[in-house]
Amino acid sequence: MSYLDSELVPGETVVYRARLHWLLYSPVLLPLTGLIVSLVADSHPVAIFFLILTALVAGIAHIAYRSSEFGVTTKRVIIKTGWLKRRTLEMLLSKIENVGVDQGLAARLFGYGSITVTGTGGTHENFHNIARPLEFRKQVQGQIAMLEGRRDRDGEPSLSSPAAPGRAERECPFCAERILAKAKLCRFCGREVEPLAPG
């Protein structure tokens, strides 16, 4: 089971998945060229060296590719990178202020780039060499718009609007979403919370 699927809470589904770009494997070209040249030159000891080097570089790239996941769910953005040294980001859609995309000329041509996820409170999380970063940003923005639309239909304040007058609210101690003060169950993360006493 992938990291994304294992971290889902009840009622949450993954709507978009992204990976690192295939250019992550480009460092393999150099030792592979050396392997081909040494085979043509009939130099077997050198060919064995380049074969081992090619396998090592390809293995490292493959581990980096397989151990990195970027997902957009109906409630959060979930990102995991690294294998031995893991780095994770799980940010509620309501806490995301912006998803920036940085692409140079080569990145635009080959379809990869860097993203910066900016959350409330000024947090900035950078991730590099992601395939189709503009699509990732579009999916995040789409889910935020859908979340705001659902709240508007339910007569609740939107992500950017203050709470309605006469509506006592507080933050969930687990996910920091705004919930009713009398709530016994957070409708965002599904955990039980202690209702606040009136007054």
Side-chain angles (χ1 to χ4, degrees):
M1 178 183 289
S2 71
Y3 178 82
L4 289 179
D5 295 322
S6 68
E7 292 299 305
L8 296 178
V9 298
E12 182 180 26
T13 56
V14 178
V15 296
Y16 183 74
R17 298 174 190 264
R19 287 280 189 180
L20 294 176
H21 195 264
W22 58 265
L23 278 177
L24 180 73
Y25 290 96
S26 61
V28 175
L29 293 176
L30 190 59
L32 185 60
T33 303
L35 174 62
I36 294 170
V37 169
S38 60
L39 286 174
V40 170
D42 202 28
S43 177
H44 296 296
V46 177
I48 292 172
F49 167 77
F50 277 115
L51 177 63
I52 295 171
L53 187 59
T54 300
L56 182 63
V57 174
I60 292 172
H62 189 65
I63 289 171
Y65 180 84
R66 295 292 299 172
S67 62
S68 298
E69 297 180 61
F70 305 84
V72 181
T73 77
T74 50
K75 296 183 179 183
R76 296 178 289 171
V77 166
I78 303 176
I79 298 174
K80 179 194 73 99
T81 59
W83 178 47
L84 295 177
K85 184 179 179 182
R86 178 179 288 186
R87 178 186 175 202
T88 62
L89 168 72
E90 296 180 18
M91 190 176 293
L92 291 167
L93 294 171
S94 60
K95 302 300 179 184
I96 295 175
E97 290 186 350
N98 181 50
V99 178
V101 174
D102 183 25
Q103 285 184 299
L105 178 60
R108 288 202 308 272
L109 290 173
F110 288 103
Y112 71 95
S114 300
I115 61 169
T116 302
V117 180
T118 304
T120 55
T123 58
H124 299 279
E125 297 287 345
N126 300 303
F127 299 92
H128 306 288
N129 301 320
I130 299 170
R132 304 178 67 202
L134 293 174
E135 181 63 24
F136 184 87
R137 179 173 66 183
K138 179 181 176 183
Q139 293 290 333
V140 173
Q141 292 170 339
Q143 288 304 308
I144 291 174
M146 288 179 65
L147 180 61
E148 286 190 345
R150 287 195 298 269
R151 288 186 170 187
D152 289 341
R153 285 194 302 274
D154 294 340
E156 300 174 14
S158 69
L159 300 180
S160 57
S161 302
R167 182 182 166 93
E169 292 188 346
R170 62 180 171 130
E171 283 192 358
C172 170
F174 301 104
C175 69
E177 277 287 358
R178 299 294 296 176
I179 59 174
L180 291 175
K182 297 179 182 179
K184 296 180 181 178
L185 188 72
C186 176
R187 63 191 182 89
F188 296 99
C189 66
R191 295 189 184 187
E192 291 187 8
V193 294
E194 190 68 29
L196 293 181

